[in-house]
CSV table of all heavy atoms in Angstrom, one decimal:
chain,number,residue,atom,x,y,z
A,316,GLU,N,91.6,185.4,-26.7
A,316,GLU,CA,93.0,185.6,-26.4
A,316,GLU,C,93.7,186.6,-27.2
A,316,GLU,O,94.4,187.5,-26.6
A,316,GLU,CB,93.7,184.2,-26.4
A,316,GLU,CG,95.1,184.4,-26.0
A,316,GLU,CD,95.9,183.1,-26.0
A,316,GLU,OE1,95.9,182.5,-27.1
A,316,GLU,OE2,96.6,182.7,-25.1
A,317,HIS,N,93.5,186.6,-28.5
A,317,HIS,CA,94.3,187.5,-29.4
A,317,HIS,C,93.7,188.7,-29.8
A,317,HIS,O,94.4,189.6,-30.2
A,317,HIS,CB,94.7,186.6,-30.7
A,317,HIS,CG,95.6,185.5,-30.4
A,317,HIS,ND1,96.7,185.6,-29.5
A,317,HIS,CD2,95.5,184.2,-30.7
A,317,HIS,CE1,97.3,184.4,-29.5
A,317,HIS,NE2,96.6,183.5,-30.2
A,318,PHE,N,92.3,188.8,-29.6
A,318,PHE,CA,91.7,190.0,-30.2
A,318,PHE,C,90.9,190.7,-29.1
A,318,PHE,O,90.2,191.8,-29.5
A,318,PHE,CB,90.8,189.7,-31.4
A,318,PHE,CG,91.6,189.2,-32.6
A,318,PHE,CD1,91.8,187.9,-32.8
A,318,PHE,CD2,91.9,190.1,-33.5
A,318,PHE,CE1,92.5,187.5,-33.9
A,318,PHE,CE2,92.6,189.7,-34.7
A,318,PHE,CZ,92.9,188.4,-34.9
A,319,THR,N,91.0,190.4,-27.9
A,319,THR,CA,90.2,191.0,-26.9
A,319,THR,C,91.1,191.6,-25.9
A,319,THR,O,91.9,191.0,-25.2
A,319,THR,CB,89.2,190.0,-26.1
A,319,THR,OG1,88.4,189.4,-27.1
A,319,THR,CG2,88.4,190.7,-25.1
A,320,PRO,N,91.0,193.0,-25.7
A,320,PRO,CA,91.8,193.7,-24.7
A,320,PRO,C,91.6,193.1,-23.3
A,320,PRO,O,90.4,192.8,-22.9
A,320,PRO,CB,91.4,195.1,-24.8
A,320,PRO,CG,90.8,195.2,-26.1
A,320,PRO,CD,90.1,193.9,-26.4
A,321,GLY,N,92.7,192.9,-22.5
A,321,GLY,CA,92.5,192.4,-21.2
A,321,GLY,C,92.3,190.9,-21.1
A,321,GLY,O,91.9,190.4,-19.9
A,322,ALA,N,92.4,190.1,-22.1
A,322,ALA,CA,92.3,188.7,-22.0
A,322,ALA,C,93.2,188.1,-21.0
A,322,ALA,O,94.5,188.6,-20.9
A,322,ALA,CB,92.5,188.1,-23.4
A,323,SER,N,92.7,187.1,-20.3
A,323,SER,CA,93.6,186.5,-19.3
A,323,SER,C,93.3,185.0,-19.1
A,323,SER,O,92.3,184.5,-19.6
A,323,SER,CB,93.3,187.2,-17.9
A,323,SER,OG,92.0,186.9,-17.5
A,324,GLN,N,94.2,184.3,-18.4
A,324,GLN,CA,93.9,182.9,-18.1
A,324,GLN,C,92.7,182.7,-17.3
A,324,GLN,O,91.9,181.7,-17.4
A,324,GLN,CB,95.2,182.3,-17.4
A,324,GLN,CG,96.3,182.1,-18.3
A,324,GLN,CD,97.5,181.3,-17.7
A,324,GLN,OE1,97.6,181.2,-16.4
A,324,GLN,NE2,98.2,180.6,-18.5
A,325,GLU,N,92.4,183.6,-16.4
A,325,GLU,CA,91.1,183.6,-15.6
A,325,GLU,C,90.0,183.6,-16.5
A,325,GLU,O,88.9,183.0,-16.3
A,325,GLU,CB,91.1,184.7,-14.6
A,325,GLU,CG,90.0,184.5,-13.6
A,325,GLU,CD,90.0,183.3,-12.8
A,325,GLU,OE1,91.1,182.8,-12.4
A,325,GLU,OE2,88.9,182.8,-12.5
A,326,GLY,N,90.1,184.5,-17.6
A,326,GLY,CA,89.0,184.6,-18.5
A,326,GLY,C,88.8,183.2,-19.3
A,326,GLY,O,87.7,182.8,-19.5
A,327,ILE,N,89.9,182.6,-19.6
A,327,ILE,CA,89.9,181.3,-20.3
A,327,ILE,C,89.1,180.2,-19.4
A,327,ILE,O,88.3,179.5,-19.9
A,327,ILE,CB,91.2,180.8,-20.7
A,327,ILE,CG1,91.9,181.7,-21.7
A,327,ILE,CG2,91.2,179.4,-21.0
A,327,ILE,CD1,91.3,181.5,-23.1
A,328,VAL,N,89.4,180.2,-18.1
A,328,VAL,CA,88.8,179.3,-17.2
A,328,VAL,C,87.3,179.6,-17.1
A,328,VAL,O,86.5,178.7,-17.2
A,328,VAL,CB,89.4,179.4,-15.8
A,328,VAL,CG1,88.6,178.6,-14.8
A,328,VAL,CG2,90.9,178.9,-15.8
A,329,ARG,N,86.9,180.9,-17.0
A,329,ARG,CA,85.5,181.2,-17.0
A,329,ARG,C,84.7,180.9,-18.2
A,329,ARG,O,83.7,180.4,-18.2
A,329,ARG,CB,85.3,182.7,-16.7
A,329,ARG,CG,85.9,183.2,-15.3
A,329,ARG,CD,85.2,184.5,-14.9
A,329,ARG,NE,85.1,185.5,-15.9
A,329,ARG,CZ,86.0,186.4,-16.2
A,329,ARG,NH1,87.2,186.3,-15.6
A,329,ARG,NH2,85.8,187.2,-17.2
A,330,PHE,N,85.4,181.1,-19.4
A,330,PHE,CA,84.9,180.7,-20.7
A,330,PHE,C,84.6,179.3,-20.7
A,330,PHE,O,83.4,178.9,-21.1
A,330,PHE,CB,85.9,181.0,-21.8
A,330,PHE,CG,85.4,180.9,-23.2
A,330,PHE,CD1,85.4,182.0,-24.1
A,330,PHE,CD2,85.1,179.6,-23.7
A,330,PHE,CE1,85.0,181.8,-25.3
A,330,PHE,CE2,84.6,179.6,-25.0
A,330,PHE,CZ,84.6,180.6,-25.8
A,331,MET,N,85.4,178.3,-20.3
A,331,MET,CA,85.2,176.9,-20.4
A,331,MET,C,84.2,176.5,-19.4
A,331,MET,O,83.4,175.6,-19.8
A,331,MET,CB,86.6,176.2,-20.2
A,331,MET,CG,87.6,176.5,-21.3
A,331,MET,SD,89.2,175.6,-21.1
A,331,MET,CE,88.7,174.0,-21.7
A,332,LEU,N,84.2,177.0,-18.2
A,332,LEU,CA,83.2,176.7,-17.3
A,332,LEU,C,81.8,177.0,-17.8
A,332,LEU,O,80.8,176.2,-17.7
A,332,LEU,CB,83.4,177.3,-16.0
A,332,LEU,CG,84.6,176.7,-15.1
A,332,LEU,CD1,84.9,177.7,-14.0
A,332,LEU,CD2,84.3,175.3,-14.6
A,333,THR,N,81.6,178.2,-18.4
A,333,THR,CA,80.3,178.7,-18.8
A,333,THR,C,79.9,177.8,-20.0
A,333,THR,O,78.8,177.4,-20.1
A,333,THR,CB,80.4,180.2,-19.2
A,333,THR,OG1,80.8,180.9,-18.1
A,333,THR,CG2,79.0,180.7,-19.7
A,334,ALA,N,80.9,177.6,-21.0
A,334,ALA,CA,80.6,176.8,-22.2
A,334,ALA,C,80.1,175.4,-21.7
A,334,ALA,O,79.2,174.8,-22.3
A,334,ALA,CB,81.7,176.7,-23.1
A,335,GLY,N,80.8,174.9,-20.7
A,335,GLY,CA,80.4,173.5,-20.2
A,335,GLY,C,79.0,173.5,-19.6
A,335,GLY,O,78.3,172.5,-19.8
A,336,ALA,N,78.6,174.6,-19.0
A,336,ALA,CA,77.2,174.6,-18.4
A,336,ALA,C,76.3,174.5,-19.5
A,336,ALA,O,75.2,173.8,-19.5
A,336,ALA,CB,77.0,175.9,-17.6
A,337,ILE,N,76.4,175.2,-20.6
A,337,ILE,CA,75.5,175.2,-21.7
A,337,ILE,C,75.6,173.8,-22.4
A,337,ILE,O,74.5,173.2,-22.8
A,337,ILE,CB,75.9,176.3,-22.7
A,337,ILE,CG1,75.8,177.6,-22.1
A,337,ILE,CG2,74.9,176.2,-23.9
A,337,ILE,CD1,74.5,178.0,-21.4
A,338,GLY,N,76.7,173.2,-22.5
A,338,GLY,CA,76.8,171.9,-23.1
A,338,GLY,C,76.1,170.9,-22.3
A,338,GLY,O,75.5,169.9,-22.9
A,339,ILE,N,76.1,171.0,-21.0
A,339,ILE,CA,75.3,170.1,-20.1
A,339,ILE,C,73.9,170.2,-20.4
A,339,ILE,O,73.1,169.1,-20.4
A,339,ILE,CB,75.7,170.4,-18.6
A,339,ILE,CG1,77.1,169.9,-18.3
A,339,ILE,CG2,74.7,169.7,-17.7
A,339,ILE,CD1,77.6,170.3,-16.9
Side-chain angles (χ1 to χ4, degrees):
E316 181 183 49
H317 294 311
F318 291 91
T319 303
S323 65
Q324 288 191 331
E325 187 59 36
I327 291 293
V328 171
R329 296 202 317 274
F330 188 117
M331 297 183 76
L332 286 168
T333 304
I337 302 304
I339 288 171

